[in-house]
Amino acid sequence: MSSPYPPIGPVVGVVGAGQLARMTQPPAIALGIELRVLANTAEESAARVIVDTRFGDYRKLADLREFALGCDVITFDHEHVPTEHIRELIADGHAVHPGPDALVHAQDKAVMRQRLTEIGAPCPPWARVSGPGDVEQFAAEHGWPVVLKAVRGGYDGRGVWVCRDAAQAEEAFAGGVPLMAEAFVPFERELAVLVARSPHGQGVSYPVVETVQQDGICVEVLAPAPLLDPEDAAQAQRIALKIAHELGVTGLLAVEMFETDRGLIVNELAMRPHNSGHWTIEGSGTSQFEQHLRAVLDLPLGAPTMTAPYAVMVNLLGGDDPDLFKRYEHVMAHDPGVKVHFYGKEVRPGRKIGHVTALGKDLDEVRARARHAAVYLTTGEYT
Amino acid sequence: MSSPYPPIGPVVGVVGAGQLARMTQPPAIALGIELRVLANTAEESAARVIVDTRFGDYRKLADLREFALGCDVITFDHEHVPTEHIRELIADGHAVHPGPDALVHAQDKAVMRQRLTEIGAPCPPWARVSGPGDVEQFAAEHGWPVVLKAVRGGYDGRGVWVCRDAAQAEEAFAGGVPLMAEAFVPFERELAVLVARSPHGQGVSYPVVETVQQDGICVEVLAPAPLLDPEDAAQAQRIALKIAHELGVTGLLAVEMFETDRGLIVNELAMRPHNSGHWTIEGSGTSQFEQHLRAVLDLPLGAPTMTAPYAVMVNLLGGDDPDLFKRYEHVMAHDPGVKVHFYGKEVRPGRKIGHVTALGKDLDEVRARARHAAVYLTTGEYT
């Protein structure tokens, strides 16, 4: 539905109406920025909380064109909008951030690896592969296992196959999607660096965080990454800012990295607010969602300083019981400082339906508090 | 317009759609609480950011009844809803917080003074007065000046007359509204204490703040009140919590006080989020708006601890130039830590259109930062 009133503030159009768009609404409200989202249905997470929700298909240029009318800038809740449509919007005179030449690196893993290799960002050995034969040849040089990844469309662990032999590689190709190969990286832990870059070239980096994954889904984020060597932290931030600059990213860039005994390796890129940055809502002077708005509007960026020595974010993954609210009572009584976020999504097993954040001085205690709240909210069990 | 989808979370109906309802939407989004507001027009501050905005007249029982259908609890953006209508809603089976027996103390200053006197809360000498003769009699006992206040409906300095003689008292009565008299209190400064109380009786108090008024309008809030004697601070909090308890307040209660050389004196009460608590959005672990939601839903209250040693909030009062946004650039570049809030209201001279908050360790510096941002945003001038 379109706005029933003329906008007072700048209008930011977000393509997609998931929880990232939803969590962008609070800082938009604070700053008087008018958020508009392109949703599929009125039940989507952001559609429930944004007055100016429009409906349409992000894969259709006509829908995007209609959505863009009256927006001061267009940005994204996800990375699936075809770059050729983005080029058309820009040709129509719209500001779109991130732009297509940057965004393609978050859409196409082979293009990303090619470019990162060119600019000297640390990558695992990799190759474009068109069949099991190519994978065997890659393995002959780099050893098994070989990680095969869908060049496009992978998400939360989907589209990734860790193959221990040629037979498993053959299975991965059975899906018919274009794949690329990467050497398996034995890593100590996973890190993520969130940076913002604005069209006029300002860049800021949040502290490096540790992300904990289960079955390819991020379940926990520790900010800052505990016991990380300060030189490694600085290098991780330099790498992320360099990627943002070289790729011309505008808005947020999340760089997922492996910490290995031979240094840092870039794993994945995302060009939008990112699960590894949800802790910034309470844990930083500027939340990633406010930062993204500032960046795409080409406003000066906010301070990324932390509000407490440690912040721990734990995702809420849906369980069997759809009624989270009855569990608020224990969690809030048990810990008056824990912050609960629920995305207004129907609870389904394994689905990301919210997160909790705890802040404090003692990492172990902060982590235990966040975990207690998350486990109780999703299962009703005490930890 | 009504929601196009069945709610997932509890539904909180807020009567009124000003900036207080607007600033309640961010924590409602975070907690998955569905906010509904009763607005006069779609241009109002909260109507612009709340999907489930209904239109109607808060003075009409029929409109309130229709609004209340499907709400889990009803609360208020202002204190002007007739208590007899609230009683009807409760008779219909609705939960309303604060309830009419508490709310009347924020609506009727004579009822408030009567009750505060009964419970031993510190008040100035006061009397119900029905004409200039009563005022002269009051002045004979307590001296001039006498402060005459409209018993109902005063706001932001309106409805208050400081009378130095009988002639001025006569002028005040010319308006025809019922008045009460209070002795003029020579105060050193104004303080405010914000407390929350839930239906099950839990109470919390935020730190005591200093409020700075100009022409009866709050322009600046310093949290905590600098150089306040810790015993006075504790006593102020005890007074506010006692008032909340004795009056049966559910939700937030702001108690405005005078600091005098003979101790603290209660000036005014408000039963809703309050201008003196806007600093809590960034300055406290639980914002007053989240706290109000928790309280009216009878959820355990959040920690009111501060996130920095000092927080200073400065109101933005509209100037001649309606375009605030072009001034964001300087303010954000000058101070990446200052937080800007704009209420999405048309800019009119003297109107509260937003506020800024700064946090830090050094009060003078924090205050200078907040003032610089506020002055520049509203006038374009440097301080």
Side-chain angles (χ1 to χ4, degrees), chain B residues 32-380:
Chain B
I33 292 164
E34 320 254 351
L35 220 55
R36 175 189 297 181
V37 291
L38 183 64
N40 295 309
T41 74
E43 281 77 32
E44 284 177 284
S45 183
R48 291 173 173 271
V49 299
I50 290 173
V51 175
D52 192 2
T53 293
R54 313 279 175 111
F55 298 99
D57 186 340
Y58 64 83
R59 295 164 301 189
K60 292 187 184 158
L61 179 58
D63 288 8
L64 290 167
R65 278 195 157 131
E66 197 184 326
F67 175 73
L69 284 178
C71 287
D72 292 288
V73 62
I74 305 292
T75 187
F76 310 100
D77 171 83
H78 57 69
E79 288 131 346
H80 309 314
V81 178
T83 44
E84 63 270 23
H85 292 353
I86 299 177
R87 288 186 209 287
E88 292 290 338
L89 293 178
I90 291 170
D92 291 348
H94 293 292
V96 185
H97 296 294
D101 296 333
L103 192 62
V104 67
H105 299 91
Q107 295 177 324
D108 186 307
K109 292 187 203 302
V111 170
M112 181 268 276
R113 281 293 177 218
Q114 181 67 45
R115 185 82 183 113
L116 291 193
T117 303
E118 284 165 17
I119 67 172
C123 292
W126 67 279
R128 294 173 192 269
V129 287
S130 52
D134 291 347
V135 179
E136 287 198 78
Q137 202 178 321
F138 184 83
E141 192 176 347
H142 302 292
W144 297 99
V146 171
V147 181
L148 293 181
K149 291 181 174 180
V151 170
R152 284 179 170 262
Y155 189 71
D156 272 355
R158 279 170 285 172
V160 177
W161 297 264
V162 180
C163 305
R164 311 214 158 258
D165 53 37
Q168 289 187 336
E170 203 148 343
E171 277 173 43
F173 276 99
V177 298
L179 301 179
M180 60 171 295
E182 291 182 0
F184 182 83
V185 176
F187 60 83
E188 285 153 24
R189 59 176 171 171
E190 294 188 65
L191 304 174
V193 191
L194 188 67
V195 299
R197 183 173 173 276
S198 58
H200 77 277
Q202 192 191 4
V204 302
S205 173
Y206 287 93
V208 182
V209 301
E210 176 176 341
T211 64
V212 182
Q213 327 280 327
Q214 265 170 22
D215 304 324
I217 296 180
C218 171
V219 292
E220 199 171 293
V221 174
L222 314 178
L227 304 174
L228 181 62
D229 183 291
E231 289 207 8
D232 286 347
Q235 198 209 339
Q237 292 183 314
R238 275 196 303 272
I239 291 169
L241 285 166
K242 180 173 182 174
I243 294 172
H245 179 69
E246 294 285 349
L247 272 50
V249 177
T250 44
L252 290 184
L253 170 71
V255 182
E256 297 180 45
M257 299 184 189
F258 295 127
E259 188 181 22
T260 79
D261 55 11
R262 288 183 294 178
L264 300 167
I265 300 280
V266 174
N267 182 26
E268 303 279 357
L269 304 183
M271 291 183 197
R272 49 172 171 73
H274 192 250
N275 200 165
S276 69
H278 290 356
W279 64 272
T280 60
I281 296 174
E282 295 90 7
S284 171
T286 309
S287 83
Q288 66 167 342
F289 301 100
E290 178 178 342
Q291 200 72 286
H292 189 67
L293 286 172
R294 287 181 180 225
V296 300
L297 285 166
D298 209 8
L299 288 167
L301 300 176
T305 41
M306 291 190 66
T307 59
Y310 285 103
V312 174
M313 190 270 343
V314 179
N315 275 338
L316 301 180
L317 302 180
D320 294 327
D321 183 347
D323 186 5
L324 240 69
F325 288 97
K326 64 174 185 234
R327 301 212 181 102
Y328 275 28
E329 213 160 303
H330 162 73
V331 163
M332 290 177 170
H334 179 77
D335 185 347
V338 76
K339 307 312 290 183
V340 179
H341 293 259
F342 178 58
Y343 304 153
K345 289 158 78 170
E346 215 183 288
V347 176
R348 288 202 295 260
R351 190 183 201 194
K352 281 183 191 171
I353 52 169
H355 72 268
V356 297
T357 301
L359 307 176
K361 288 179 187 166
D362 181 293
L363 176 62
D364 291 337
E365 185 198 306
V366 173
R367 193 173 190 177
R369 287 169 52 209
R371 282 181 177 180
H372 176 91
V375 169
Y376 184 82
L377 281 169
T378 48
T379 68

Side-chain angles (χ1 to χ4, degrees), chain A residues 225-351:
Chain A
L227 304 175
L228 182 63
D229 183 292
E231 289 210 6
D232 286 346
Q235 199 209 339
Q237 292 183 314
R238 275 196 302 273
I239 291 168
L241 285 166
K242 179 171 183 176
I243 293 171
H245 179 69
E246 294 285 349
L247 272 50
V249 176
T250 44
L252 290 183
L253 169 71
V255 182
E256 298 180 45
M257 298 184 189
F258 296 127
E259 188 181 23
T260 79
D261 56 11
R262 287 183 294 176
L264 300 166
I265 299 281
V266 174
N267 182 27
E268 303 279 356
L269 304 183
M271 290 181 199
R272 47 171 170 76
H274 191 250
N275 201 164
S276 69
H278 290 355
W279 65 272
T280 59
I281 295 174
E282 295 90 6
S284 172
T286 310
S287 83
Q288 65 167 341
F289 302 100
E290 177 179 343
Q291 199 71 285
H292 189 65
L293 286 172
R294 287 181 179 225
V296 301
L297 284 166
D298 210 9
L299 288 167
L301 300 176
T305 41
M306 290 189 67
T307 59
Y310 286 102
V312 175
M313 190 273 338
V314 180
N315 275 337
L316 301 180
L317 301 180
D320 294 328
D321 183 348
D323 186 4
L324 239 70
F325 288 98
K326 64 174 186 232
R327 301 214 180 100
Y328 275 28
E329 214 160 302
H330 162 73
V331 163
M332 290 177 170
H334 179 78
D335 185 347
V338 76
K339 307 312 289 181
V340 178
H341 293 259
F342 177 56
Y343 305 153
K345 290 157 77 169
E346 215 182 287
V347 176
R348 288 202 295 260
R351 191 183 200 194

Side-chain angles (χ1 to χ4, degrees), chain A residues 21 36 40 59 102 124 158 168 179 197 205 207 212 325 351:
Chain A
R36 175 188 298 180
N40 295 309
R59 293 164 302 189
R158 278 169 286 171
Q168 287 187 336
L179 302 179
R197 183 174 172 276
S205 173
V212 181
F325 288 98
R351 191 183 200 194

Side-chain angles (χ1 to χ4, degrees), chain A residues 39-334:
Chain A
N40 295 309
T41 75
E43 282 77 32
E44 284 177 283
S45 184
R48 290 172 173 272
V49 299
I50 291 173
V51 174
D52 193 2
T53 293
R54 315 279 175 111
F55 298 98
D57 186 339
Y58 63 82
R59 293 164 302 189
K60 290 185 183 158
L61 179 58
D63 289 7
L64 291 168
R65 279 195 156 131
E66 199 184 325
F67 176 73
L69 283 177
C71 288
D72 292 289
V73 61
I74 306 293
T75 186
F76 310 99
D77 172 82
H78 58 67
E79 287 132 343
H80 309 316
V81 178
T83 43
E84 62 269 24
H85 292 353
I86 299 176
R87 287 185 208 288
E88 292 290 337
L89 293 177
I90 292 171
D92 291 347
H94 294 292
V96 185
H97 297 294
D101 295 332
L103 192 63
V104 67
H105 299 91
Q107 296 176 324
D108 186 306
K109 292 187 202 303
V111 170
M112 181 267 276
R113 282 293 177 216
Q114 179 68 44
R115 184 81 182 114
L116 292 193
T117 303
E118 284 166 16
I119 67 172
C123 293
W126 67 279
R128 296 174 190 267
V129 287
S130 52
D134 290 347
V135 179
E136 286 198 80
Q137 202 179 323
F138 184 82
E141 192 176 346
H142 303 290
W144 297 98
V146 170
V147 181
L148 293 181
K149 292 182 174 177
V151 170
R152 283 178 172 261
Y155 188 72
D156 273 355
R158 278 169 286 171
V160 176
W161 297 263
V162 180
C163 304
R164 310 209 161 264
D165 54 35
Q168 287 187 336
E170 203 147 343
E171 279 172 44
F173 276 98
V177 297
L179 302 179
M180 61 172 294
E182 292 182 0
F184 182 83
V185 176
F187 61 83
E188 285 152 25
R189 59 176 171 172
E190 294 187 63
L191 304 174
V193 191
L194 188 66
V195 299
R197 183 174 172 276
S198 59
H200 75 278
Q202 192 192 3
V204 302
S205 173
Y206 287 94
V208 183
V209 300
E210 177 176 340
T211 64
V212 181
Q213 327 280 327
Q214 265 170 23
D215 305 324
I217 296 181
C218 171
V219 291
E220 200 171 292
V221 174
L222 314 177
L227 304 175
L228 182 63
D229 183 292
E231 289 210 6
D232 286 346
Q235 199 209 339
Q237 292 183 314
R238 275 196 302 273
I239 291 168
L241 285 166
K242 179 171 183 176
I243 293 171
H245 179 69
E246 294 285 349
L247 272 50
V249 176
T250 44
L252 290 183
L253 169 71
V255 182
E256 298 180 45
M257 298 184 189
F258 296 127
E259 188 181 23
T260 79
D261 56 11
R262 287 183 294 176
L264 300 166
I265 299 281
V266 174
N267 182 27
E268 303 279 356
L269 304 183
M271 290 181 199
R272 47 171 170 76
H274 191 250
N275 201 164
S276 69
H278 290 355
W279 65 272
T280 59
I281 295 174
E282 295 90 6
S284 172
T286 310
S287 83
Q288 65 167 341
F289 302 100
E290 177 179 343
Q291 199 71 285
H292 189 65
L293 286 172
R294 287 181 179 225
V296 301
L297 284 166
D298 210 9
L299 288 167
L301 300 176
T305 41
M306 290 189 67
T307 59
Y310 286 102
V312 175
M313 190 273 338
V314 180
N315 275 337
L316 301 180
L317 301 180
D320 294 328
D321 183 348
D323 186 4
L324 239 70
F325 288 98
K326 64 174 186 232
R327 301 214 180 100
Y328 275 28
E329 214 160 302
H330 162 73
V331 163
M332 290 177 170
H334 179 78

